[in-house]
Amino acid sequence: MKKERQLAVLKVIAATDVETQNQLIEELSKSGFESTQATVSRDIKELHLIKELTPRGTYRYTASGRAETQNQKVRMTSIFKESIISYTTAQNIVVIKTLPGLAPAACGALDTMSINDLVGTIAGDDTAFLAMRDSIAAEKFCAGIEDMLV
């Protein structure tokens, strides 16, 4: 339902100059999607919508110049394929070796993602430590890395 609604949001803003969230809610309703202001607000954030000035001097929602929202796997794949040299677990800790200087970027990207069992990260220059909730979560995370790198 969320994906369909967000596609409808993109279609609506492409076809109509939508100035407010309330107007977007009304337009979505015409398309068969009943939404609340909170839901529309989250959709705007997740879709990276921005307001731009129209030639008439009003503002309208539009998709930002940023690339489409990437899902977690795509983001992690691009980071890890470019930077990871090796990884292993030590109980609930995942130790990742990266190319020199890339551990902070890898940790920064991981910190912005919603990884349920990731408690926190610490980065050196070429080594990152990831504290996972437990050893099972650490093993699962490493298996996910393996899948991404294949």
Side-chain angles (χ1 to χ4, degrees), residues 86-90 93-97 127-130 142:
S86 66
Y87 54 92
T88 190
T89 61
I93 304 295
V94 176
V95 180
I96 298 174
K97 297 296 268 177
T127 305
F129 290 93
L130 285 60
C142 283

Side-chain angles (χ1 to χ4, degrees), residues 9 35-37 42 48 57 67 76 87 97 101 119 126 131-134 148:
V9 167
S35 295
T36 64
Q37 185 275 329
R42 279 190 299 275
H48 303 289
M76 288 180 66
Y87 54 92
K97 297 296 268 177
V119 178
D126 63 355
M132 304 303 289
R133 191 146 324 276
D134 54 37
M148 285 180 253

Side-chain angles (χ1 to χ4, degrees), residues 21-150:
Q21 290 182 7
N22 284 337
Q23 186 180 358
L24 183 54
I25 291 168
E26 291 171 12
E27 293 295 325
L28 285 172
S29 179
K30 292 177 188 175
S31 299
F33 292 94
E34 295 301 322
S35 295
T36 64
Q37 185 275 329
T39 299
V40 167
S41 181
R42 279 190 299 275
D43 287 343
I44 288 169
K45 182 178 179 181
E46 289 176 15
L47 293 169
H48 303 289
L49 301 184
I50 58 172
K51 282 192 172 182
E52 71 177 3
L53 187 62
T54 68
R56 296 182 313 280
T58 61
Y59 286 90
R60 70 192 260 327
Y61 282 107
T62 187
S64 72
R66 290 171 58 172
E68 288 292 317
T69 302
Q70 295 178 317
N71 66 30
Q72 178 180 346
K73 185 172 182 175
V74 172
R75 289 176 65 192
M76 288 180 66
T77 300
S78 64
I79 292 165
F80 288 116
K81 278 188 175 182
E82 298 299 321
S83 64
I84 284 195
I85 295 172
S86 66
Y87 54 92
T88 190
T89 61
Q91 295 183 2
N92 70 316
I93 304 295
V94 176
V95 180
I96 298 174
K97 297 296 268 177
T98 70
L99 294 171
L102 293 181
C107 284
L110 289 168
D111 288 338
T112 65
M113 297 176 200
S114 298
I115 301 172
N116 292 334
D117 293 322
L118 179 63
V119 178
T121 62
I122 299 174
D125 181 59
D126 63 355
T127 305
F129 290 93
L130 285 60
M132 304 303 289
R133 191 146 324 276
D134 54 37
S135 58
I136 294 170
E139 290 293 335
K140 192 174 180 182
F141 184 82
C142 283
I145 292 173
E146 184 67 29
D147 290 344
M148 285 180 253
L149 296 179
V150 175

